[in-house]
Amino acid sequence: MRLIDRWLARYAEPQEAALEAVRGLKPIVVVTGASQGIGLALARRFGRAGHDVALIARGANALEAAAGLIASDYAVTAMAIPMDVTNPEAIDRITAQLGANGFYIEVLINNAGVGLAGPFAHQSQEAIAHLIDLNVTALTRMTRAVLPDMLARGHGGIINLASLGGLIPGPNQAVYYASKAYVVSLTRALAAENAGRGVRMLAVAPGPVDTGFHRAMGTELSFYRQLLIALSARQVAFESYLAFKLGWHHYVPGLTGKLLQIAVWIIPHALLLPLMGWLLRRRDERPWHDVGNPSA
Ligand SMILES: NC(=O)c1ccc[n+]([C@@H]2O[C@H](COP(=O)([O-])OP(=O)(O)OC[C@H]3O[C@@H](n4cnc5c(N)ncnc54)[C@H](OP(=O)(O)O)[C@@H]3O)[C@@H](O)[C@H]2O)c1
């Protein structure tokens, strides 16, 4: 890893003031959406590797329980910070709370995200705005807040949870797929912009993962859930951690995911998009020809 670290920091120019600002503080890995699913698995993976972790989500009880388990399983500090990351002040509050406890953000994992299934024309403006707020705006704001200090220190890392869905339009999950395309694009651009300056930037793009995410958006009966093999959150975390340490910019976990990525590259969109629409369609709603008339 030493060689990789040196390569990733080949153009780094650490600034004395930035190093001075964190002198006496300990590095910590901040994971948003860490009370369950992939976020929790990532927090556990970093904890297992000996990193102190800060877990962020809205629900305090699940968060406290998760942090308690990580602390006892891996003998690291695991802080629970209940917070809605769509609050524009969230990242400042998190940074302040960490600072007060003697920590600074060494790695940020923007994992909190929400899905939205069904025809676009049926979805409420509020649900669409909330998805963009969380999956796009909050992630961008948090990234922008921590990146300059990491660059100034010549050290750090950001993992953004994208999705295989970020590589292709997703009829019947249009806004969700579009939001993940944004995450892929932003992360890869920032990785290129800052190459060699000591900050790892990774977009993780999993296919389906077995978490509560699909139930929450009502797609457990959709054909993609029935036909595609889902990874465990643990597997995603295991592979993502490795990809992050190796300094990769974009990573698709699992063999099925990698095969699906190849399919996305080689199958013409004219064929693939109707297939995606069929796979993603919610089975509990009216047929597609009603879409033009949401009140029908
Ligand atoms: N599951 C999949 O198949 C899959 C595939 C590809 C990519 N992904 C992406 O991976 C990420 C995690 O997915 P997952 O399946 O683990 O989701 P999940 O099981 O639904 O967990 C979502 C987590 O985010 C937290 N959260 C939601 N809204 C939040 C907010 N406003 N502020 C702070 N925390 C918030 C939730 O806790 P609270 O509700 O208590 O806040 C929870 O801890 C998402 O970005 C998702 O898009 C998932």
Side-chain angles (χ1 to χ4, degrees):
M1 287 298 171
R2 282 262 167 83
L3 260 183
I4 294 174
D5 285 345
R6 284 175 67 172
W7 172 252
L8 294 175
R10 63 198 178 280
Y11 306 129
E13 291 173 0
Q15 292 162 22
E16 194 46 45
L19 297 174
E20 190 55 41
V22 297
R23 198 145 288 149
L25 300 180
K26 288 194 290 175
I28 198 164
V29 178
V30 172
V31 189
T32 71
S35 59
Q36 61 185 47
I38 298 170
L40 174 56
L42 279 164
R44 291 190 66 85
R45 183 64 193 88
F46 274 84
R48 195 178 120 196
H51 298 274
D52 293 328
V53 288
L55 282 66
I56 318 289
R58 291 164 305 177
N61 292 345
L63 209 55
E64 304 275 357
L69 273 179
I70 293 175
S72 66
D73 285 354
Y74 305 122
V76 294
T77 298
M79 287 177 66
I81 306 183
M83 188 81 65
D84 181 341
V85 295
T86 63
N87 182 335
E89 289 169 12
I91 185 63
D92 290 341
R93 290 188 188 166
I94 292 165
T95 307
Q97 197 163 330
L98 291 175
N101 284 278
F103 292 101
Y104 72 93
I105 302 175
E106 169 70 2
V107 176
L108 170 67
I109 305 181
N110 283 307
N111 163 81
V114 68
L116 187 58
F120 178 78
H122 286 187
Q123 283 155 358
S124 71
Q125 297 283 16
E126 291 73 24
I128 292 170
H130 173 66
L131 186 150
I132 295 172
D133 241 22
L134 180 58
N135 294 10
V136 175
T137 310
L139 174 142
T140 309
R141 191 189 303 112
M142 307 262 294
T143 300
R144 173 59 184 80
V146 301
L147 183 58
D149 286 345
M150 290 180 180
L151 291 170
R153 291 194 294 269
H155 213 264
I158 300 175
I159 302 179
N160 287 334
L161 257 293
S163 164
L164 207 50
L167 310 182
I168 185 179
N172 294 318
Q173 288 190 27
V175 182
Y176 175 67
Y177 272 49
S179 76
K180 294 301 179 180
Y182 173 91
V183 176
V184 170
S185 177
L186 178 79
T187 312
R188 298 193 76 168
L190 296 184
E193 236 174 70
N194 300 299
R197 297 179 66 192
V199 180
R200 288 173 160 84
M201 295 277 323
L202 169 66
V204 178
V209 185
D210 260 329
T211 69
F213 179 83
H214 309 278
R215 203 175 323 110
M217 64 172 165
T219 55
E220 283 298 12
L221 297 177
S222 297
F223 287 145
Y224 83 91
R225 285 295 284 155
Q226 310 294 323
L227 299 177
L228 301 180
I229 300 166
L231 286 180
S232 67
R234 200 169 161 209
Q235 180 73 19
V236 172
F238 176 82
E239 294 187 30
S240 304
Y241 179 81
L242 197 60
F244 179 69
K245 286 289 171 187
L246 292 173
W248 292 29
H249 298 154
H250 177 82
Y251 185 72
V252 177
L255 180 62
T256 312
K258 290 179 182 69
L259 294 175
L260 288 171
Q261 183 182 28
I262 294 169
V264 165
W265 286 337
I266 60 179
I267 302 176
H269 274 199
L271 295 177
L272 201 52
L273 264 56
L275 175 64
M276 290 299 297
W278 177 79
L279 284 169
L280 296 178
R281 207 192 109 201
R282 286 176 63 158
R283 297 286 131 190
D284 57 349
E285 63 185 10
R286 287 166 293 140
W288 64 271
H289 46 73
D290 283 349
V291 167
N293 181 7
S295 58

